[in-house]
Amino acid sequence: MKEKNRRIVAFYLMISPWFLVFLVFGLFPMLYGLYLSFTNYYGFNMNKLKWVGLHQYKTLLTDSDAVHAMGRTLYLTALNVPLSTIIGLGLALLLNRRIRGAGIYRTVFYLPSIVPVVSSVLMWKFMFSSSNGILNSILEFLHIPAVNWMGYDYARLSLLIMLLWGAGGGVLVNLAGLKGIPRDLYEAAAIDGAAPFQSLRRITLPLMTPIIFFNVVLGIIGSLQIYLQPIMLTPGGRLMDRPIDPNYLYVVHAFQQIFSFQRFAYGMALLWVMFIVILVLALLVFRTSKYWVYYETEQEG
C-alpha cells in the first residue's frame, strides 16, 4: 500500500468512532426529523403517518407568531453578536496588560460563562425584580424612577443585558489570540513612533480577525437558538409558560408547538427552517470573510 493511501486509511480509522456516533445520534435524528416534517405526525400516530408534502412549511408562512418570532430572534442576534464580540475583545485587551492580579481578573470575568444558565437567570430575575430588586434599588438611590424590567417595554433590554453578562466567555479565546501576536511587531511599531491606538488598529485588530470571525460564527449560531433565558425570565418560569411578546423567540415558539400543542411535524418544520437560516447566515459570514479576515498563510479553496 502506498504511503498516501496508508495515511488516508489511518485518517478514516481514527475518525471512525466519532463518525459512527455522529451518524447514529446526529445525522440520523436530523434526517428523520426532516422526514417527519413532511408528514402529519402529532406524537401518537407513528403507525399511520401520512405524507403531506410541503403543508407544514406553507403553514409556517401563514403563522404570524412564527414570522414575528423569527424577526425578534434576528433582531436580538443583530444586537447580541456584535456587542458580545466587542465586549469580549475589549475585556481580553484589558486583561492582556501586565497588571498585578491579572489571573484573578481573568477568572472573575470568565466566571459567568461557567455558571449554569438556570442559576444565572434566577440571579438576574432577582436583580430585575420590581419589588426590592437590586437594579431598582440603585435607581431609587439615584432618585431615578423605578423600571419594570420584566414588563413589555423593558423585557427585551433585560434579556439582552443578561446575555451580555456572559460575554466574558470569549475572553479565553481572545486572550489566546492576543498572546499569539509577535511582540516584535509592537516593538517595531514603537520604534517607528506608532501610538498605542495605531498599534491597536494596524496590528492587533487585523491579526485578531480570525478569532473575531470564529466568535461571530459561534455567536450567530448560539443567539439564534436562545430558548431557556426568555422562558426563565417569564413570571412563573415554567417550561410551558409563554413569554411576553418581546421575548417570544423562534425556538420558544417551536418548543410551544411541539410540547404544548403536540404539533410535532410542524415543530420539525420550524426547526428545519431555523437550521437553514443559521446555515445561510454562516455561509454569508464565511463568504464575506475574505474581505475582512486576515490570514498569515494562504488559504486554499
Side-chain angles (χ1 to χ4, degrees), residues 25-280:
F25 298 105
L27 187 61
F28 174 72
M30 284 179 62
L31 295 179
Y32 195 61
L34 178 63
Y35 162 69
L36 291 178
S37 70
F38 292 103
T39 69
N40 65 338
Y41 180 55
Y42 56 85
F44 304 99
N45 62 331
M46 186 57 74
N47 296 326
K48 298 180 180 178
L49 288 181
K50 181 182 177 183
W51 182 266
V52 296
L54 295 173
H55 172 73
Q56 308 294 356
Y57 294 90
K58 291 177 181 176
T59 303
L60 191 155
L61 295 176
T62 59
D63 183 353
S64 59
D65 275 346
V67 174
H68 287 119
M70 176 62 82
R72 291 185 205 104
T73 306
L74 292 173
Y75 178 68
L76 184 67
T77 301
L79 293 176
N80 182 42
V81 173
L83 288 176
S84 60
T85 303
I86 292 171
I87 292 173
L89 181 59
L91 289 174
L93 288 170
L94 291 175
L95 296 173
N96 194 43
R97 300 173 66 86
R98 295 178 180 175
I99 55 175
R100 180 177 296 179
I104 297 174
Y105 292 123
R106 290 170 187 168
T107 304
V108 169
F109 282 112
Y110 187 70
L111 203 58
S113 62
I114 61 175
V115 174
V117 176
V118 175
S119 302
S120 62
V121 175
L122 290 176
M123 181 194 73
W124 277 103
K125 201 170 180 179
F126 173 72
M127 294 178 71
F128 287 137
S129 174
S130 299
S131 57
N132 301 321
I134 295 175
L135 294 182
N136 275 344
S137 299
I138 295 173
L139 292 178
E140 288 177 8
F141 178 77
L142 298 174
H143 302 289
I144 298 175
V147 171
N148 182 9
W149 295 97
M150 304 287 194
Y152 191 92
D153 295 333
Y154 291 93
R156 186 175 297 161
L157 176 62
S158 302
L159 178 61
L160 182 62
I161 291 173
M162 190 177 65
L163 294 174
L164 293 178
W165 183 69
V171 165
L172 282 186
V173 179
N174 285 314
L175 271 175
L178 290 173
K179 295 294 183 187
I181 300 176
R183 303 301 304 173
D184 297 350
L185 297 177
Y186 293 108
E187 292 170 2
I191 292 173
D192 289 341
F197 179 74
Q198 289 176 310
S199 296
L200 172 69
R201 193 163 68 92
R202 299 291 187 182
I203 299 174
T204 307
L205 291 182
L207 293 178
M208 283 295 290
T209 48
I211 305 296
I212 296 172
F213 168 75
F214 173 78
N215 287 331
V216 167
V217 172
L218 288 190
I220 290 173
I221 295 172
S223 293
L224 289 175
Q225 298 182 76
I226 291 172
Y227 162 70
L228 195 58
Q229 291 91 335
I231 291 285
M232 294 292 292
L233 274 182
T234 305
R238 290 169 298 191
L239 287 178
M240 296 300 176
D241 289 342
R242 175 181 168 129
I244 59 175
D245 280 354
N247 286 347
Y248 190 69
L249 304 182
Y250 188 83
V251 175
V252 177
H253 182 64
F255 184 89
Q256 292 268 329
Q257 295 302 309
I258 293 173
F259 295 105
S260 295
F261 303 106
Q262 283 75 50
R263 300 175 71 186
F264 287 81
Y266 181 56
M268 296 297 170
L270 286 169
L271 294 177
W272 264 97
V273 169
M274 171 55 75
F275 174 76
I276 292 170
V277 170
I278 291 174
L279 187 64
V280 169

Side-chain angles (χ1 to χ4, degrees), residues 205-214 216-217 285-297 299:
L205 291 182
L207 293 178
M208 283 295 290
T209 48
I211 305 296
I212 296 172
F213 168 75
F214 173 78
V216 167
V217 172
V285 175
F286 269 89
R287 294 290 294 178
T288 58
S289 66
K290 62 183 178 183
Y291 300 111
W292 61 276
V293 178
Y294 171 77
Y295 292 104
E296 293 185 76
T297 56
Q299 299 297 299

